Every structure is written in C-alpha cells, then in structure tokens.
C-alpha cells in the first residue's frame, strides 16, 4: 500500500492568499497607507524642514528640495511606485517582476530611515524639535505611516511547483536534472538562454546604458557628498533602495540582460568610468577614484587566487608591495640605490616580473598545503615582506629599501611627452594630476579584466574551478593540482605587481607601512579579501564594486573617529548575514547559499 506524506503544517507559517496583515489590517488598507505615506513623503520635501540654514544643506527653502530632502524624495517616490505596482496599476506592474510587497517594505524603510535620521540630526544639531518646520513634521509622520502600512502587509509564500502524485521522488529528481542539463546545453550553445518574450536587443542595450548611467550618477553623488550627515543619509537610502530593487526582481532582471550582452556591458562600464573625472570640478575626488581603481585591480587579481582557484591567501598585499618597490627602485628616485630611470613600460615589466618571481618562489614550497595551513603560511609571507623591507636600511641589512623611510620623491610619469603631473585641458575640461593617473589606471584595470576573463574561460580556468570545488576529485580526473595552483598564484601576483607600479608613482613614496595585513585604510590583505567576498567571488564586477565600497565608505566615515571601524564592521556583519553570496554573485554560489529557496518541496512516497 502506498501513502503520501507531507511535512506537518507549521501554525506560524504565513498562509498563501491571506488578505489581512500582521495587525489584522486588510491588505488593501495597508497597501494604501504605504503608498499614501510615500506620496506624502515626496510632498514634504518641497516644504521647509527647519527655519535656519545653519543645518547643512539649507533645508529652509520652499518648493526646492535640497541636501537630505533629495534622498527622502527618491525613497518616497520608490515607495509610491512600488505601492502602485503592487496594486496592479497598468504600466507599473513591470517594476516588480518578483512581486511588489517585499520591495514596498524596503523602499518604505529607506524613506523612514532617511527622514527620521534627518529629523533627529536637525534636533540634535540645533537644540531640539522646536527647530523643525512643518515639512520636517510631515516627513516624519508620512514616512512612519508608510513603513507601518508596508510592514502590516501579509507575508505570502509562493505556491510550490505542482507535482505528479504518482511520480516517485527519484523520477522527479531525474526530471529536474534533465531540465537543468537542457539549460546548460543552451548556455554553451549560445551564451545565456534568451527567455520567451524578451525585449528586442536594441531595447536591452538601451536598458544597459540606463543602468550604467544610473550607476555613474549614484557613485558620483556618493563620492561627492560634501558633509557627513548627507553621506550617512546616502548610505541609508542606497542600502535599503538596493534591497528594494533586489526584492522587486529588477536586479536579477538586469543581471540577465547584462549577461546576454557581456561585451557591450563591459565596454559601456569602462566608458562610464572614463566619464567620471569630467563630472568633477577639481582633483579632490579624482584622487579617491584613482585609489579605488588601484584597490579594485588588486582585488580582481586576488579573485583569481581566492575566487577561481579557492586558495585562501592572507598575504596578497605583499605582491602589491613587491611591484611598487621594484618600480620605485628603477624610477629615478634620489632615494633609490640604483642610479637608473626606466621608461614606464619597462618599469611595468620590472614590477610585474618581480611579483611573478616572488609568487613562484613563495608558492612552490607552500602550495602543497591546503586550507587553513596555506592561509597561515601566506599570512607569514606578508609579514616577512613588510619586516624585510623595513630592515633593508643599511643598518640591519643591505641598503636597498631605505628602511622605514621608504623610497621617496618618485617622479611623475612622462609617457610619449605626456606629463602625468601637469594639468591638461581636454574639450574645455581641466584634467589634473590624479585624473591623469585615473585614466592610466583605468587602462590597466581593463587589461586585468581581460586577463581574468580569458583565463577564467580557458582550460586552466576550468581546472581552477575544479580544484576549488574538490581537489581530490580533480586529481582523480587527471588535473595536476600543484601546477594549476602555482599558475593561479603566479598570475595573481603579477597582476598585483602591475597595479603596484602605478601606485608607486601616484603616492610619490613607497614605505613598508603601506602593506599591512590589517589597518584602518585599504589596501591591505584583510580589506582585499573582504572586497572579494563582499563583491562576489569568481566574478569580474563583484570585486570591483566590493573594493569601491570598502575604500569609499571608510574614507567617508573618518568623522566617526574611534568608532569608524566599529560601524564599518557592523555593516559588514549585516551584509554577510543577509547576502552571504556577495553583492554580485555567480549562479553557483547563489545556489550554494540559497539552496533551500531554489529547491522545490518534494513529496516522498513510502511503501507499506
């Protein structure tokens, strides 16, 4: 006799189709409150929030949002749009392909968090709530109504896939595997499978352009925030806003579109990045931009070692230092013991070759270790490099690196008569020193991206992934694990050395203290590893975005003083808790971390 068993029903589980929220409020009423609160939040930004311009941003103007009001305007508009979309308003349903209620909740949190932070900041800075004008009170009340309405909506779980009651569990598994194999074949045959009813190619390319323009706008706004309160408000709005877009399914949809047009997306991303210096009026933020590119390029090189080959390297920043010192020694610096001045192309080759040699020398005796043991050895190498560079001062050792004083007064680059230390006028825009190095570093980043992409898609790249997933099984399939890991170590080291050659000329001075395992300011080994994990291991865009965030946020949070790393650490913990696969994960890691959400409920049969 055959019986069908199902999991016992949990009393607290939400019921599909439920029409009342957590407080017994009907869903249409809760949705109306959330949408109305979003609309009122938008209206409040056109009113004065305080009576004096002493609070940064001048929130005293009627009819023209400024400062933090702009962020509340954006968050309130998102709340209203997602609310109308969840109502099924014609023309807006496409905003929430994965459902509107989850997106509505996060959008309302963005409006609520930014509005209440602003109200509290005004009261704290100016001395009480009496300094609020009607617009401030309306923003606080409207955002509170929106968040209450959104969070009283019922939580509905999607219905599981219908299954044939006469189909055994094994037959169902075979059916799922066959479906997955068809998807894999379609992927290898022509890239990412194109879904039925997808937009025309030209429309998808326009969407990619819009996505890149939005990314450039958000990055430029975030890096150019002129006061601390505005940056904190930006973090609140951007964090909850991204979560809302992700819940709505727009992030997944954008990922699918960009995956179908990878080359166009990559070229467009570099064009958007090249436009960044032209959005700045001085060199202040171009300075941050060039350091972000150096940090991101090194993180992408580490992604080969950690993300593709699965080798935990805790001393990777030492390879950046080897390249920087090698380039500094042949740069014509008066602090260098070598009286030579190589051209830039030769200095690049020297820096990359030196890091490559050190990568092979360190990797050859250590890469037979695995896991934690390898991590400890690489950590030791990073510390040995820093201590050795500190001791090569002519007293404790040979006079090579000038000890703790480092190699100073490194001259600016001069390539084909183009002086990177001078200002240049391009199309009516004045491009300063750091903008010049920004463009140079952007070219090097493009080279590193090309190397990463080509190597990842090659035979050796597939061997790296096999070693990462199961080294024993890879050995059984005939893969020489030691050789494959050594190649990954050498390629990653040479890419770090390539970035180090530019860093030496940008910073003018190379000192051992720049290459710590951990410290308040990147790049260091801990931040590099965090950038790879935070952005998404094994992807191209993940480490670039992760490195940008990990450099920009601590740089902007310096006003917190001793609490800077505390706030930063809490943010990383929360992000890893709710998105452990990273901001831009590959499909494999997303399934690893969210397997329970992807796998359907399977009915089992028991024979009696």
């Amino acid at each position: 006799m055959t019986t069908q068993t199902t999991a016992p029903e949990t009393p607290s589980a939400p019921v599909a189709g439920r029409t009342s929220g957590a407080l017994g409020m009907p869903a249409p009423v809760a949705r109306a409150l959330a949408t109305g609160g979003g609309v009122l939040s938008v209206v409040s930004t056109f009113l004065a929030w305080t009576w004096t311009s002493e609070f940064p941003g001048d929130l005293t103007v009627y009819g023209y949002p400024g400062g933090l009001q702009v962020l509340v305007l954006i968050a309130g508009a998102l709340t209203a749009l997602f609310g109308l979309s969840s109502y099924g308003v014609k023309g807006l349903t496409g905003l929430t392909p994965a459902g509107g209620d989850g997106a509505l909740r996060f959008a309302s949190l963005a409006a609520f968090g930014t509005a209440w932070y602003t109200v509290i900041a005004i009261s704290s800075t100016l001395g009480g709530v009496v300094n609020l004008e009607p617009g401030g009170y309306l923003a606080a009340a409207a955002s509170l109504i929106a968040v209450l309405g959104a969070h009283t909506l019922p939580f509905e779980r999607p219905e599981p896939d219908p299954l044939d009651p006469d189909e055994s569990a094994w037959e169902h598994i075979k059916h799922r595997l066959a479906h997955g194999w068809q998807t894999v074949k379609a992927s290898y045959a022509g890239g990412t499978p194109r879904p039925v009813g997808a937009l025309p190619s030209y429309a998808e390319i326009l969407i990619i352009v819009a996505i890149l323009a939005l990314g450039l706008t958000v990055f430029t706004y975030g890096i150019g925030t002129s006061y601390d309160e505005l940056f904190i408000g930006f973090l609140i709005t951007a964090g909850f806003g991204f979560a809302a877009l992700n819940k709505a399914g727009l992030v997944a949809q954008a990922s699918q579109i960009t995956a179908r047009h990878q080359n166009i997306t990559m070229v467009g991303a570099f064009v958007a990045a090249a436009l960044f210096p032209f959005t700045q009026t001085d060199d202040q933020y171009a300075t941050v931009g060039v350091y972000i590119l150096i940090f991101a390029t090194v993180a992408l090189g580490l992604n080969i070692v950690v993300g593709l080959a699965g080798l935990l390297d805790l001393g990777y920043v030492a390879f950046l230092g080897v390249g920087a010192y090698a380039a500094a020694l042949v740069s014509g610096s008066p602090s260098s013991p070598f009286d030579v001045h190589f051209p830039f192309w030769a200095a690049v080759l020297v820096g990359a070759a030196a890091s490559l040699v050190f990568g092979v020398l360190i990797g050859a005796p250590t890469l037979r270790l695995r896991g934690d043991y390898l991590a400890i050895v690489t950590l030791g190498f990073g510390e040995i490099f820093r201590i050795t560079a500190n001791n090569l001062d002519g007293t404790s050792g040979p006079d090579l690196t000038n000890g703790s004083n480092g190699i100073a007064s490194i001259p600016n680059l001069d390539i084909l008569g183009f002086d990177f230390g001078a200002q240049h006028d391009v199309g009516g825009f004045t491009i300063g020193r750091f903008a010049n190095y920004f463009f140079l570093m952007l070219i090097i980043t493009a080279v590193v991206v090309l190397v990463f992409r080509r190597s990842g898609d090659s035979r050796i790249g597939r061997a790296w992934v096999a070693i990462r997933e199961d080294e024993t099984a890879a050995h059984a399939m005939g893969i020489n694990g030691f050789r494959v890991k050594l190649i990954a170590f050498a390629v990653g080291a040479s890419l770090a050395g390539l970035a180090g050659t530019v860093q030496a000329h940008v910073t003018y001075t190379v000192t051992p203290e720049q290459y710590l395992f951990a410290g308040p300011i990147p790049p260091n080994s801990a931040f590099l590893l965090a950038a790879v994990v935070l952005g998404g291991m094994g992807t191209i865009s993940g480490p670039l975005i992760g490195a940008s965030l990990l450099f920009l946020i601590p740089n902007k949070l310096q006003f917190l003083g001793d609490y800077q790393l505390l706030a930063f650490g809490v943010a990383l913990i929360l992000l890893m808790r709710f998105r452990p696969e990273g901001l831009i994960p590959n499909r494999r890691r997303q399934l690893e971390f969210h397997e329970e959400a992807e796998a359907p409920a399977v009915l089992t049969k028991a024979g009696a």
Side-chain angles (χ1 to χ4, degrees):
M1 180 176 179
T2 303
T3 59
Q4 180 176 308
T5 61
T6 59
E9 189 173 321
T10 305
S12 59
V15 180
R18 198 169 137 197
T19 58
S20 61
L23 301 178
M25 185 182 298
V29 176
R31 195 170 286 112
L33 284 176
T35 306
V39 173
L40 290 177
S41 296
V42 172
V43 172
S44 70
T45 61
F46 292 90
L47 305 175
W49 285 20
T50 184
W51 61 275
T52 175
S53 58
E54 290 183 8
F55 187 81
D58 192 7
L59 308 183
T60 64
V61 182
Y62 282 86
Y64 186 81
L68 287 160
Q69 289 176 324
V70 175
L71 299 175
V72 176
L73 171 63
I74 295 172
L78 276 179
T79 304
L81 288 174
F82 285 141
L84 293 173
S85 176
S86 63
Y87 265 118
V89 176
K90 187 177 181 180
L92 294 178
T93 53
L95 290 176
T96 54
D101 288 351
L104 181 59
R105 293 186 186 96
F106 279 106
S108 65
L109 281 174
F112 173 79
T114 310
W116 277 75
Y117 166 74
T118 306
V119 168
I120 293 172
I122 292 173
S123 303
S124 175
T125 303
L126 302 181
V129 295
V130 295
N131 294 284
L132 293 175
E133 287 290 299
Y137 290 109
L138 178 60
S143 60
L144 179 61
I145 291 172
V147 79
L148 289 177
H151 284 77
T152 53
L153 285 169
F155 286 85
E156 296 185 3
R157 287 180 179 172
E159 294 289 344
D161 295 336
L163 302 175
D164 185 357
D166 296 326
E167 184 180 49
S168 67
W170 173 241
E171 289 172 343
H172 177 70
I173 292 173
K174 288 194 296 182
H175 172 75
R176 299 283 294 184
L177 288 175
H179 175 72
W181 175 241
Q182 293 298 326
T183 303
V184 170
K185 286 198 298 183
S187 177
Y188 275 101
T192 303
R194 190 177 186 84
V196 178
L199 294 172
S201 295
Y202 72 87
E204 292 186 340
I205 293 174
L206 291 177
I207 291 175
I208 292 173
V209 172
I211 292 171
L212 295 175
L214 177 63
L216 177 62
T217 302
V218 172
F219 178 77
T220 303
Y221 185 90
I223 202 174
T225 48
S226 54
Y227 51 94
D228 303 332
E229 292 86 353
L230 183 60
F231 183 71
I232 294 178
F234 168 76
L235 288 181
I236 296 172
T237 305
F240 284 117
F242 178 81
L245 296 176
N246 184 51
K247 274 291 184 182
L250 294 177
V251 174
Q253 202 170 60
S255 299
Q256 293 172 3
I257 292 175
T258 55
R260 288 195 288 270
H261 305 277
Q262 290 185 2
N263 293 332
I264 294 176
T265 303
M266 192 172 298
V267 172
F270 280 102
V271 171
L275 293 176
F276 168 72
F278 297 101
T279 64
Q280 308 300 310
T281 56
D282 54 40
D283 236 15
Q284 178 184 2
Y285 298 117
T287 306
V288 180
V290 69
Y291 284 119
I292 285 177
L293 280 181
I294 293 173
F295 186 25
T297 302
V298 180
L300 194 58
L302 178 60
N303 198 24
I304 292 179
V305 180
V306 177
L308 293 182
L311 306 174
L312 184 55
D313 188 349
L314 298 182
Y316 187 76
V317 74
F319 297 124
L320 174 69
V322 170
Y325 266 103
L329 289 172
V330 298
S331 65
S333 167
S335 302
S336 172
F338 306 115
D339 188 17
V340 294
H341 189 178
F342 285 8
F344 176 66
W345 64 266
V348 166
L349 293 178
V350 169
S355 296
L356 175 65
V357 170
F358 270 84
V360 173
L361 291 178
I362 298 301
T366 61
L367 285 178
R368 299 188 187 278
L369 302 173
R370 298 188 189 182
D372 301 337
Y373 303 100
L374 177 62
I376 293 172
V377 170
T378 56
L379 175 61
F381 163 66
E383 290 301 300
I384 289 172
F385 164 77
R386 182 179 60 83
I387 294 172
T388 302
N390 204 32
N391 289 336
L392 296 180
D393 56 356
T395 302
S396 304
D399 186 9
L400 183 62
T401 64
N402 205 22
S404 59
N405 294 323
I407 309 296
S409 302
I410 300 173
N412 283 302
L413 290 175
D414 191 321
I415 303 176
L416 300 178
F418 186 89
D419 186 0
F420 280 73
Q423 291 186 346
H424 301 275
D425 293 328
V426 179
F429 294 91
T430 300
I431 303 300
R433 175 181 185 271
F434 285 101
N436 296 330
Y437 281 107
F438 179 89
F439 289 122
L440 175 63
M441 198 61 224
L442 192 63
I443 295 173
I444 293 179
T445 303
V447 172
V448 174
V449 167
L450 181 63
V451 171
F452 182 92
R453 185 180 179 187
R454 298 300 295 174
S455 60
D457 292 338
S458 67
R459 181 178 180 181
I460 190 69
R462 293 193 294 272
W464 287 338
V465 174
I467 290 290
R468 181 192 68 192
E469 295 300 320
D470 193 327
E471 187 170 352
T472 303
H475 280 302
M477 297 302 294
I479 296 176
N480 188 333
F482 173 75
R483 183 177 65 87
V484 167
K485 291 191 292 184
L486 187 60
I487 292 174
F489 221 66
V491 172
S494 60
L495 294 181
L498 187 66
T501 59
V502 180
Q503 186 206 29
H505 291 86
V506 170
T507 58
Y508 287 124
T509 302
V510 179
T511 59
E513 287 71 22
Q514 295 174 341
Y515 309 105
L516 300 169
F517 167 71
I521 300 296
N524 52 63
S525 292
F527 271 78
L528 287 169
L529 183 61
V532 173
V533 177
L534 172 67
M537 295 172 59
T539 63
I540 295 176
S541 56
L544 298 178
I545 294 175
S548 301
L549 293 177
L550 287 181
F551 190 93
L552 177 62
I553 294 177
N555 187 275
K556 286 287 189 176
L557 292 181
Q558 291 183 8
F559 67 92
L560 292 178
D562 295 337
Y563 297 98
Q564 174 190 354
L565 287 180
L566 174 64
F568 187 61
V570 170
L572 288 181
I573 291 171
L574 292 176
L575 189 58
M576 287 294 97
R577 165 61 183 85
F578 294 104
R579 198 170 177 84
E581 70 273 22
L583 295 175
I584 311 293
N586 60 22
R587 184 62 175 165
R588 181 190 296 272
R589 289 187 61 80
Q590 198 167 20
L591 289 174
E592 287 175 358
F593 283 103
H594 300 283
E595 187 176 356
E596 71 284 353
E598 298 287 343
V602 179
L603 300 178
T604 61
K605 291 184 178 183

